[in-house]
Amino acid sequence: MSETVAVPASIDTSVPKNYLNHDKSIKSWLLTLDHKRIALLYLVTISIVFLVAGVLALLVRAELFTAGETLMKPDTYNQFFSLHGILMVFLFIVPSVPAIMGNFVMPMQLGAIDVAFPRLNLASYYIYLIGGVLVVTAILAGNIDTGWTFYTPYSARLGSSVIFMTLAVFIAGFSSILTGLNFIVTIHKMRAPGLTWNRLPLFVWSIYATSIVQVLATPVIGITMLLLLLEKTLQIGIFDPALGGDPILFQHFFWFYSHPAVYIMILPAFGIISDLMGVFSRHEVQGYKFVALSSVAIAFLGFLVWGHHMFVSGQSAISSIVFSLITYLIGIPTGVKVLNWVGTMYRGSVSFKTPMLYALSFLFLFTIGGLTGVALGVLGLDIHLHDTYFVVAHFHYVMMGGTVIAAIGGLHYWWPKITGKMYNETMGSIAAVLIFIGFNVTFFTQFVLGTKGMPRRYYDYQIQYEALHQISTVGSWILASGLFLVLFTFIHSLMKGKKAGSNPWGAATLEWTHTASPPSPHNFDEQPIVTHGPYDYHALARVSGDGAAQTSEPELSESRH
Amino acid sequence: MGTFWMPEGASTMSGEVDSLFYLVYWISVVIFIGVVAAMAYFAIKYRRTRESYVPPIVHENRFLEAAMIFIPLILTMVVFTFGFKTYLKMNIAPPTAYTIEAVASQWKWDFTYPNGKQVTGELHVPEGKPVKVHSTSMDVLHSFFIPQFRVKQDVVPNRYSSVWFQATKVDSFDVFCTEYCGTSHSGMLAKVIVHKPEDFEAWLNAGDDRPLDVQGESLFKANSCNTCHSIDGSRIVGPTFKGLFGSSRTFADGTTRTADEDYLRQSIMQPGSEIVESYPNVMPASYGTTLRPDDVTKIIEYIKTLK
Amino acid sequence: MDQQFDASKMGMWIFLVTEVLLFSGMFVAYTVYRVWHPETFDLLSGALDWRLGGFNTLVLLGSSFTVAMSIHSIQKSDKKATVMYLVITLICAAAFMVVKYIEYTTKFEHGVFPGAHFAPHGEHYAPFDVPYAPQFFSIYFVMTGIHGVHVLVGMGVIAWIAIRTAKGHFDSQYYTPIELTGLYWHLVDIIWIFLFPLLYLI
């Protein structure tokens, strides 16, 4: 919480009231209903999770520096990679962009004073926190070494800590469902006058698509975890073959959620990249309608491809073929999005500020992640590559090279709005480059390891893989130094950053044109009326950055709580 | 010895899988270079030179948009078709295939041949003949993977699954377990040893006339005992075997016992019955059912030699 | 535009969708095991007492009607009738839970537990000790158990709403919480209408 406390303290008292300084008591933070403050609560909590899970990743890589024992025993290693996965997936990447940036930015982009259900929003945060506490309990109870997939029967035979862990995932899932529900209603009901669906910023579109997936998929992981929990406590015998159950059924249930969950993780990143490409090219995002609707299409198609995680599991050949085919169909809209983003720069005015560096590195890394995904969808080839480091590299290119890079880019982009301070551009750019280099050194080598047959989740390995593992580990250090520099840049900005104007990037969306930096507690002094599209920089130039072309009476939310 | 990407191929399928890989690989490389080149070109050519400049709106080119959907669609369908054909070939074993039964358990592979011969940790196969490995698991999920043959199949308890290949090189290769299965997942290795057909026949019909303790040493490795028990006195997961025989053991409940043959047999067959002080109770009980009595004798003979 | 449409009602509908999906996971498990072992499932539906299940179905249908009537009453600002209908709903729900309790305890007394602890005895239950019977009862207990939890939650909410109505918090102008509770209660009812034939009859 140090960050949230430090912010109000550093603001000059002559500054007009904003959401950070209008009430400085701890209670006003912990019980806040303000979507911006809740976003900051998430930011701090999720950053801590990212730090812990990241350190675990570094330890895992360090252990793999040499074949045989380097630092730790096999059981410790197995627990570390499992915790890394569980924390990163369920407590970091699934909530990250929606809960932090979705919460902070989306209502403002809609011209709303808050989300539709502010109390539910706060409750979601505490439910997430309870999930986090249960994870810590499970870690203390020890012996979680199932990997993040909890495959039965292995997971059903482990100690009591699995109970806490599955319960944690179940509860964190509720937080995700409620956030998604809240956002869908907000986007439907709280748009400012004139903000038609065709004028929604693409970030809002992607949060909308994400929320649909959260609402539709998360209940299934909920029931799966509940059944696993009962399997463990009451031996109900649904998944455990020793009791007549079927472990493949668990995999179907698990991936029915966890594949759509991949879209929960990546769709918000698409939204950030769309906004960044538009703003820093000062140009209409190419194929706006396509980019917007393809997010929704991907959200639905994402429910039909779970079986491509199971080509070698023993499911029927016919299912594998069908799943492979649909997987390609989902690849195409994704590919077209990439081309649209590249096309946005065409005849634009491209600025290389730090957020844009992240957006460009997203395009580079995500393209690799996407293309290798297609390689994995090829039936005959997946047999060889399945469960090797090729898969590990692929999903890190998508999840980290995609989502995390986009999230960091987005955080730089909205940082002046969140804190009212600019960050140091030089430090920001150096960190972006370090992360880009470190990431590729770490994970590109893993593609090579994978094709050569190095299986994942191995504590020890054959000596022929050692050189590549060492390169990868060195890469992880470069990557980590880049990430720590990001942290330092932000802390530096909080202490010494220059004051930010209300619209430092010249963006055309409402959170920049109609609110101060940082915004007032109720975001807008008067109800904004939208007269142009989210990337219409000509309209923005006509009203000379002020934006408030027309105003009307401030209007309160129509919903009753 | 393989290329930058793929390891050396040693089965009839490996060439086909490799061409599939390189087809996808080169298509991907071309697309990737195209995307990155366009990105770099646009970024540099249209870089911001005047702060206040607002570039003109570019109208969408419908033809270009359609092409962007159509071309990838065709490419992916081509790739899908090839992948599908290879997959079918890999899925359907020739009816003449020589079948070997495999049983996976934490953390070893047991193979049984049609004549009843049983081997742990070594899969002997003839060169140039289709071989089908018909497998099931005793406990949790495992997966059978031979990189040089480009084959992989999950091995599931209460179910049978199979994988087939036809080796093309007389050599030996690694078998990996690729489905996470616990502490010694990475130690669950086996060797596939490809013989000339006549040598295979000879091997199949030969007995093992090595001394018991030497056979025991092979079993010690094949059953992955070595991933948890050292022979040099160091501590891995379980107690070391060095100087074990005849020593006095102290258990978690404070009782003591001399490590004689009865004790060793009991510790292998019912590993949870007496836990040595300060060690975790993690050894799978499945050894009690998957090891044959004479195998246990051989392993005990081997432990006796580790003074 | 659609701004007039009530935001909280929309939120409730989305929530109900997630509830349906939560149960759908269990319906899938049911379907899968039924397809694999149709003879077991055929036989075992006989182990459940359709009369008790049928009674519960009627009770829940009745409660759905009374909850609808409570909304109808509050629309006319008739708070007394509203409270009365809510209390009847509550009584129906309690009756449902009592019958469930009887069903559960009879089964436990005869060793009919889910999964590994399944060891049926007694004249009625002994014939049902067939392969995959434990799975049937696991699915039975999990589905009806989670449904039962929903009934209990519903009872809590209805009681709370009844108290608030009695205190005069609602009238024909503002009765959203009663309406939302009604929606939820209908869902609980509908899920049971699927559970009853699937488990007891076929």
Side-chain angles (χ1 to χ4, degrees):
Chain A
M1 296 288 147
S2 61
E3 193 178 38
T4 54
V5 176
V7 174
S10 66
I11 283 175
D12 192 296
T13 42
S14 65
V15 168
K17 288 286 180 202
N18 61 49
Y19 83 102
L20 292 168
N21 66 6
H22 73 101
D23 185 346
K24 295 183 182 179
S25 66
I26 297 285
K27 193 180 151 215
S28 75
W29 277 94
L30 294 181
L31 298 178
T32 181
L33 298 180
D34 181 351
H35 67 100
K36 301 181 288 303
R37 285 191 165 198
I38 292 174
L40 289 192
L41 293 179
Y42 272 118
L43 175 62
V44 173
T45 322
I46 289 176
S47 302
I48 292 169
V49 174
F50 184 59
L51 182 68
V52 172
V55 169
L56 285 170
L58 286 174
L59 289 169
V60 162
R61 282 286 2 137
E63 167 55 41
L64 291 168
F65 193 72
T66 58
E69 181 178 331
T70 309
L71 283 178
M72 58 189 94
K73 301 289 178 196
D75 280 329
T76 317
Y77 172 84
N78 292 339
Q79 287 170 31
F80 279 9
F81 84 69
S82 299
L83 290 176
H84 165 71
I86 294 167
L87 290 175
M88 281 293 191
V89 170
F90 294 108
L91 292 185
F92 169 68
I93 203 161
V94 166
S96 62
V97 179
I100 301 170
M101 279 163 257
N103 248 323
F104 194 93
V105 177
M106 186 267 290
M108 287 198 276
Q109 287 194 333
L110 294 178
I113 59 163
D114 209 315
V115 293
F117 309 113
R119 261 177 252 181
L120 187 66
N121 201 17
L122 181 67
S124 305
Y125 171 73
Y126 281 103
I127 293 172
Y128 168 80
L129 210 58
I130 293 169
V133 169
L134 277 168
V135 168
V136 174
T137 318
I139 294 172
L140 295 179
N143 293 326
I144 297 283
D145 67 340
T146 57
W148 76 279
T149 47
F150 299 108
Y151 271 14
T152 53
Y154 187 77
S155 56
R157 291 176 189 181
L158 229 60
S160 59
S161 48
V162 175
I163 297 177
F164 292 114
M165 200 50 108
T166 46
L167 203 59
V169 172
F170 182 71
I171 288 173
F174 266 102
S175 161
S176 181
I177 291 175
L178 295 177
T179 304
L181 186 155
N182 211 338
F183 285 2
I184 292 177
V185 177
T186 308
I187 295 169
H188 270 273
K189 301 292 173 197
M190 312 269 291
R191 281 171 285 131
L195 188 56
T196 59
W197 288 92
N198 281 334
R199 286 177 180 167
L200 281 184
L202 286 163
F203 180 67
V204 174
W205 267 108
S206 72
I207 288 289
Y208 182 68
T210 309
S211 302
I212 291 176
V213 188
Q214 281 178 311
V215 164
L216 296 183
T218 318
V220 178
I221 193 78
I223 192 68
T224 309
M225 288 296 140
L226 201 64
L227 288 173
L228 182 57
L229 197 71
L230 295 171
E231 187 77 61
K232 175 80 199 120
T233 47
L234 303 174
Q235 284 96 45
I236 56 171
I238 301 289
F239 299 136
D240 191 343
L243 303 168
D246 183 37
I248 309 286
L249 187 63
F250 177 84
Q251 294 180 27
H252 280 291
F253 273 38
F254 182 83
W255 289 114
F256 183 82
Y257 163 77
S258 293
H259 194 78
V262 171
Y263 298 102
I264 297 179
M265 304 177 212
I266 194 68
L267 284 173
F270 289 172
I272 294 177
I273 295 302
S274 302
D275 271 20
L276 293 185
M277 291 310 293
V279 170
F280 292 95
S281 305
R282 198 172 282 166
H283 212 225
E284 187 93 6
V285 176
Q286 284 297 298
Y288 169 90
K289 275 189 189 162
F290 183 88
V291 174
L293 293 175
S294 66
S295 285
V296 182
I298 290 170
F300 283 107
L301 276 175
F303 282 95
L304 305 174
V305 297
W306 77 89
H308 70 213
H309 295 267
M310 298 168 60
F311 287 161
V312 302
S313 72
Q315 73 178 0
S316 73
I318 293 292
S319 339
S320 293
I321 290 161
V322 172
F323 283 126
S324 169
L325 197 59
I326 308 174
T327 303
Y328 289 120
L329 296 183
I330 210 167
I332 291 165
T334 314
V336 177
K337 272 181 189 248
V338 170
L339 297 175
N340 275 314
W341 290 322
V342 173
T344 301
M345 289 189 287
Y346 175 65
R347 300 186 67 187
S349 168
V350 181
S351 147
F352 294 101
K353 291 280 195 298
T354 307
M356 188 60 167
L357 295 183
Y358 282 102
L360 293 175
S361 94
F362 170 95
L363 288 181
F364 185 99
L365 302 174
F366 182 75
T367 305
I368 296 178
L371 289 169
T372 51
V374 171
L376 286 168
V378 181
L379 286 164
L381 195 51
D382 180 64
I383 304 241
H384 178 66
L385 299 175
H386 186 83
D387 271 339
T388 66
Y389 265 66
F390 194 88
V391 176
V392 177
H394 158 69
F395 69 70
H396 279 92
Y397 264 85
V398 176
M399 298 288 93
M400 182 156 193
T403 309
V404 177
I405 294 285
I408 298 174
L411 203 54
H412 280 87
Y413 172 56
W414 282 301
W415 187 259
K417 186 57 61 182
I418 295 172
T419 63
K421 306 244 178 152
M422 297 304 289
Y423 58 85
N424 182 312
E425 199 59 60
T426 316
M427 269 157 54
S429 312
I430 292 172
V433 172
L434 269 181
I435 290 174
F436 179 76
I437 295 170
F439 180 86
N440 281 300
V441 174
T442 311
F443 293 106
F444 197 80
T445 42
Q446 297 189 3
F447 282 125
V448 187
L449 276 170
T451 52
K452 289 193 183 307
M454 170 75 207
R456 66 193 284 202
R457 298 175 170 177
Y458 262 31
Y459 164 73
D460 190 8
Y461 49 82
Q462 309 293 89
I463 201 73
Q464 71 261 29
Y465 299 122
E466 193 170 47
L468 287 165
H469 271 299
Q470 291 185 342
I471 297 172
S472 181
T473 302
V474 171
S476 73
W477 299 333
I478 304 174
L479 180 55
S481 60
L483 288 168
F484 278 111
L485 186 54
V486 170
L487 182 66
F488 180 74
T489 307
F490 284 148
I491 293 173
H492 179 264
S493 158
L494 288 177
M495 318 248 283
K496 298 206 171 126
K498 272 190 253 151
K499 206 173 160 325
S502 67
N503 190 1
W505 314 119
T509 42
L510 290 174
E511 84 275 27
W512 296 108
T513 55
H514 283 68
T515 74
S517 295
S520 71
H522 292 287
N523 300 346
F524 304 97
D525 295 329
E526 50 215 359
Q527 173 70 50
I529 292 184
V530 181
T531 53
H532 58 78
Y535 311 107
D536 189 344
Y537 300 99
H538 289 276
L540 184 75
R542 279 198 296 279
V543 293
S544 66
D546 180 1
Q550 286 173 287
T551 54
S552 69
E553 284 293 295
E555 188 184 301
L556 288 172
S557 157
E558 75 278 22
S559 68
R560 296 179 73 165
H561 308 295
Chain B
M1 276 309 288
T3 61
F4 178 73
W5 292 102
M6 286 294 198
E8 93 178 288
S11 79
T12 49
M13 288 312 296
S14 58
E16 197 167 326
V17 173
D18 290 5
S19 12
L20 196 55
F21 175 77
Y22 284 110
L23 174 70
V24 180
Y25 175 74
W26 285 113
I27 292 177
S28 302
V29 167
V30 170
I31 293 176
F32 177 70
I33 289 178
V35 167
V36 172
M39 186 173 96
Y41 177 75
F42 290 163
I44 292 165
K45 175 129 201 270
Y46 301 111
R47 69 187 178 280
R48 190 169 294 176
T49 43
R50 277 184 299 131
E51 253 333 291
S52 59
Y53 173 65
V54 179
I57 291 168
V58 177
H59 289 285
E60 284 168 33
N61 183 332
R62 302 251 158 191
F63 177 74
L64 199 65
E65 293 256 313
M68 287 195 307
I69 295 176
F70 199 61
I71 294 170
L73 189 67
I74 292 177
L75 283 178
T76 49
M77 285 309 118
V78 168
V79 169
F80 167 78
T81 314
F82 282 111
F84 164 68
K85 281 187 175 162
T86 309
Y87 180 72
L88 282 190
K89 270 193 209 166
M90 294 170 100
N91 242 276
I92 302 164
T96 55
Y98 180 82
T99 304
I100 301 168
E101 298 292 330
V103 174
S105 56
Q106 287 171 324
W107 293 285
K108 65 198 182 73
W109 298 97
D110 290 301
F111 302 102
T112 308
Y113 289 78
N115 70 353
K117 180 162 181 145
Q118 288 193 311
V119 189
T120 298
E122 280 182 6
L123 175 63
H124 294 259
V125 296
E127 181 203 9
K129 281 189 182 165
V131 171
K132 182 167 134 184
V133 179
H134 191 232
S135 48
T136 190
S137 163
M138 294 293 290
D139 36 47
V140 298
L141 298 176
H142 300 282
S143 191
F144 181 86
F145 177 36
I146 306 173
Q148 281 78 4
F149 292 178
R150 315 283 190 264
V151 293
K152 183 181 290 126
Q153 178 62 49
D154 278 10
V155 180
V156 183
N158 271 15
R159 276 196 187 199
Y160 280 96
S161 53
S162 65
V163 63
W164 81 275
F165 52 80
Q166 182 171 334
T168 54
K169 277 191 186 130
V170 175
D171 201 344
S172 81
F173 308 103
D174 292 313
V175 178
F176 293 126
C177 172
T178 50
E179 192 68 83
Y180 181 72
C181 58
T183 306
S184 265
H185 169 53
S186 64
M188 187 166 163
L189 306 171
K191 283 274 177 204
V192 52
I193 298 163
V194 186
H195 299 276
K196 287 206 177 306
E198 57 274 19
D199 295 346
F200 176 73
E201 285 303 321
W203 171 85
L204 190 60
N205 297 314
D208 194 341
D209 52 4
R210 294 176 297 165
L212 284 185
D213 62 305
V214 176
Q215 291 187 42
E217 184 176 4
S218 306
L219 288 165
F220 170 74
K221 287 176 184 148
N223 287 291
S224 302
C225 309
N226 57 337
T227 57
C228 293
H229 302 280
S230 76
I231 54 169
D232 59 2
S234 65
R235 174 174 178 156
I236 311 177
V237 175
T240 180
F241 283 176
K242 185 182 184 182
L244 170 60
F245 185 73
S247 68
S248 172
R249 315 302 290 167
T250 308
F251 303 113
D253 59 5
T255 57
T256 58
R257 181 174 172 188
T258 302
D260 55 11
E261 283 157 336
D262 287 341
Y263 165 75
L264 291 178
R265 185 170 288 273
Q266 182 189 332
S267 312
I268 295 169
M269 306 298 279
Q270 294 132 19
S273 60
E274 283 175 315
I275 300 301
V276 178
E277 195 177 15
S278 89
Y279 285 92
N281 180 10
V282 292
M283 181 163 155
S286 57
Y287 285 111
T289 46
T290 59
L291 281 176
R292 285 172 298 157
D294 56 320
D295 286 346
V296 179
T297 309
K298 289 169 189 168
I299 291 171
I300 291 173
E301 286 307 312
Y302 172 62
I303 293 174
K304 283 185 185 173
T305 65
L306 300 168
K307 304 253 166 50
Chain C
M1 289 246 343
D2 53 1
Q3 301 281 359
Q4 312 88 324
F5 190 90
D6 197 356
S8 37
K9 214 162 163 183
M10 180 180 183
M12 193 64 197
W13 275 108
I14 298 173
F15 175 72
L16 295 186
V17 168
T18 70
E19 287 280 24
V20 168
L21 282 157
L22 184 83
F23 278 94
S24 73
M26 286 178 290
F27 281 109
V28 167
Y30 170 88
T31 313
V32 166
Y33 276 94
R34 183 166 188 107
V35 168
W36 282 342
H37 313 291
E39 61 300 326
T40 304
F41 274 58
D42 247 9
L43 175 74
L44 282 157
S45 61
L48 305 176
D49 191 338
W50 68 268
R51 282 158 302 193
L52 289 177
F55 173 77
N56 263 352
T57 310
L58 292 178
V59 163
L60 273 195
L61 280 174
S63 73
S64 247
F65 173 74
T66 53
V67 93
M69 284 310 291
S70 73
I71 295 167
H72 181 72
S73 310
I74 197 71
Q75 278 167 346
K76 295 189 293 184
S77 284
D78 185 347
K79 286 168 203 166
K80 231 177 188 169
T82 308
V83 174
M84 182 192 76
Y85 282 122
L86 286 174
V87 170
I88 298 175
T89 310
L90 213 51
I91 293 169
C92 289
F96 177 91
M97 289 312 291
V98 167
V99 172
K100 247 336 355 116
Y101 176 79
I102 295 168
E103 284 189 271
Y104 272 36
T105 44
T106 331
K107 288 189 181 62
F108 293 157
E109 277 162 17
H110 293 88
V112 179
F113 291 106
H117 308 289
F118 182 73
H121 49 80
E123 195 188 334
H124 178 69
Y125 289 105
F128 296 112
D129 196 359
V130 295
Y132 300 103
Q135 270 73 27
F136 175 85
F137 281 104
S138 292
I139 289 169
Y140 165 81
F141 280 116
V142 173
M143 290 181 105
T144 55
I146 294 179
H147 179 261
V149 170
H150 279 80
V151 174
L152 285 177
V153 170
M155 287 170 71
V157 176
I158 290 168
W160 177 61
I161 292 296
I163 292 169
R164 284 189 65 187
T165 315
K167 283 186 181 167
H169 289 188
F170 308 122
D171 54 34
S172 60
Q173 294 302 304
Y174 174 64
Y175 57 89
T176 314
I178 306 184
E179 213 179 358
L180 299 185
T181 311
L183 278 175
Y184 172 81
W185 193 252
H186 290 317
L187 177 87
V188 172
D189 187 21
I190 288 167
I191 288 170
W192 178 257
I193 287 178
F194 280 96
L195 286 179
F196 172 61
L198 286 179
L199 292 169
Y200 289 75
L201 299 182
I202 60 171

